[in-house]
Amino acid sequence: MLPSILVAGLNTAIGLAVLLILQQGPGAYVLLAVLVAFFYLAYRSYAGAMNQHRTLTEIYDLTGAISDTPHDGTLPDVLLGRVRKLLQAEYATLWMPAQGRHPEVLLSARPDDRGLLDVAGSPESLRKQAVESGQTVAGGAKLGDDQTRARLREFGAKDAIVVPLRASSAVIGTLEVAGRLGDNLHFRPGDVRLLEAVAAHAAVAVENNRLVDRLRFDAYHDALTALPNRRRISQALEEAVRVRAPGEVVAVLMFDVDGLRDVNDSLGQSAGDQLLAEVASRLRTLSPPAALVGRVGGDEFVVTLRLPHAEAASRLAAELRQQMQDPMTFGSLTLDVDTAVGISLHPEHGSDPATLLQRADVATHAAKSLAGGVQLFDLALESRSVRRLGLAGDLRRALDNGELEVYFQPKVTLRDRRLVGVECLARWEHPTHGAVQPEDFVAVAEHTGQLSRLTEVVLREGLRRARQWVDAGRPLSVAVNLSPRTLVDPAFPDRVDDLLREYGVSPDRLTLEITEDGVVDGVDRLLPILRRLYDLGVHLSVDDFGTGYSSLSYLRRLPVHEVKVDRSFVQGMATDPGDLAIVRAVVDISRHFGLSVVAEGVESELTLELLEEIGCDIGQGFLFSRPLPYERLEAWLGAQTDAEPTPLGEVRRLRAVG
Ligand code: C2E
Ligand code: CA
Ligand code: CA
């Protein structure tokens, strides 16, 4: 009751004071009016100042809240919730149009919804206008022009204020409120200024937030495909290893896109990018939902997930690889999307992401030379690549000391089994490791700058023997393998020319075998050197044909004399109709272009018969002879000349020798 008594007392006092004053006559009326007017004005300005103070405090709170918001994607919630309350609006909306890699953002806070909605309380045209003009657009009973009001009415909104968000001089979007709460209440010009003040602070925060989001995204994603990158995949692997249930495996499937370099070289970088983007999207759509798909290198993608056992991983790899194979079109060209897949597994092959990825990579390299294109990691694979590293010094010594040997493998005409030449194949017996695979030491030579010496050793030995055979009255042509890298050496043709002169061998007795991949990779760069070799009169042969990507029409562009069908097809042709069809097509086209065809890897009589039927000219393989050292080849030749005209008898005898 105390306040009431006080107020009643005060009222009574004022009432009596007024009465007493009024009793003084009309002059007192004027003085009283002045007093009333003064109190009224004082009150108004006090209320205004209070209001302004409150608003400033609120803006201050709001900006403080915005800048305290952690960079975890909650900024819009905080911002919009506060703005909506501050302006007593039905909707508070943040809009950022799509820009570069940023997708469009449209988020609204509403009084009864806890989360944000992707709707707005005003027409889109207002937001666009605000972004385009960089000016605030407002409309309502107390705001804006007729046109804006009409647009709002049409949309069914009472009023709205749309303010551009300006960050570092560009407009990145809008902040808006729509629908002042309360039936008879409307937004006023003061609200416009308030929202503008908030927007000025918010813009910086929004932009920074977006920047952080982008930096974070960039740090863990690949720019071209937007897939998680190596760092992210490593994190995920760590996590998967930790949460793996007993009995499960964590599988790393690494896909290597075949022929990316060819696409880049022949169709341009953007076509290569297109190919990668396509592979990325195919992998993403085809992979099981639980899998994480990422890009870990130029043409290397990883799919990682937990699976019940190793077989499930191999099966998934084979399925994915096959489903990805649909051709892809580049303008008028279509290209098969082929991949090689290497698999590593936790716990079998390692526990840390780096080891798992590295071992998947080793397996991928091995997978490239497999018909199925899928390889599970195996320690033997690694020991091979690790062993290569240690061989570099030993190879140098072997080359210095002439420890490299050259074996010869006969090439035979299929029709009359006549010996037409030999292929020279390098052999290296390592003092401690024993025989080293040519693939291994050739790779070592390539990577340690010893390739040209290796090639020269074989070339010299081949030419020396070719000279001897001419002198002995039974000329034979010799074939020497070149690595693709030799073909980018502009001095190579002159070197060959010199050696031919040195040994006095006619150029057409020398065939240089170049693998198909080697020729097709950057064919334009290699053409001048191929052409110079061709002009020397040396014969050129495309080795391992069918394993690369070249279409047969490439053959027409290349200055070559011979095609060697890869031994994988020759070996398969007796049992696999697909292989048979490939060999047949290669033979047909090659003959059409006037090239001779050599089938390598002829191991069985059945294959021999099929090859003859198809019309292949020349064969090479264990059926006739393994690669032999010179002396044993001589014995083979002797046996052949001694033998009687039953060719197969000859062959059998020769095999016994090989
Ligand atoms: P390539 O040029 O395709 O050589 C033919 C390979 O097939 C040889 O393996 C040969 O032994 C093998 N081969 C021949 N007939 C048969 C058969 O009937 N069945 C089977 N399964 N295999 C057969 P090799 O000697 O191990 O050579 C492997 C590769 O190493 C060669 O493949 C060639 O690309 C490379 N190479 C060998 N010597 C040299 C060289 O001096 N320089 C270069 N750059 N590469 C070489
Ligand atoms: Ca060869
Ligand atoms: Ca070959």
Side-chain angles (χ1 to χ4, degrees), residues 95 107 234 296 305 328 342 362 419 457-458 483 515 517 549 604:
W95 179 62
L107 292 170
S234 298
V296 294
L305 74 171
M328 184 184 167
V362 168
L419 180 70
V457 165
V458 182
S483 277
T515 57
D517 268 359
Y549 305 92
S604 72

Side-chain angles (χ1 to χ4, degrees), residues 409 423-427 437-439 442 454 458 481-483 513 515 543-544 567 571 600-603 620-623 627:
Q409 187 177 32
E423 176 172 3
C424 306
L425 293 158
R427 291 290 178 267
Q437 293 287 316
E439 278 98 344
V442 169
L454 172 75
V458 182
N481 292 287
L482 296 187
S483 277
E513 296 189 2
T515 57
D543 205 350
D544 300 348
R567 57 181 182 273
Q571 282 160 358
E600 56 175 29
V602 183
E603 290 180 351
Q620 179 183 345
F622 294 171
L623 180 66

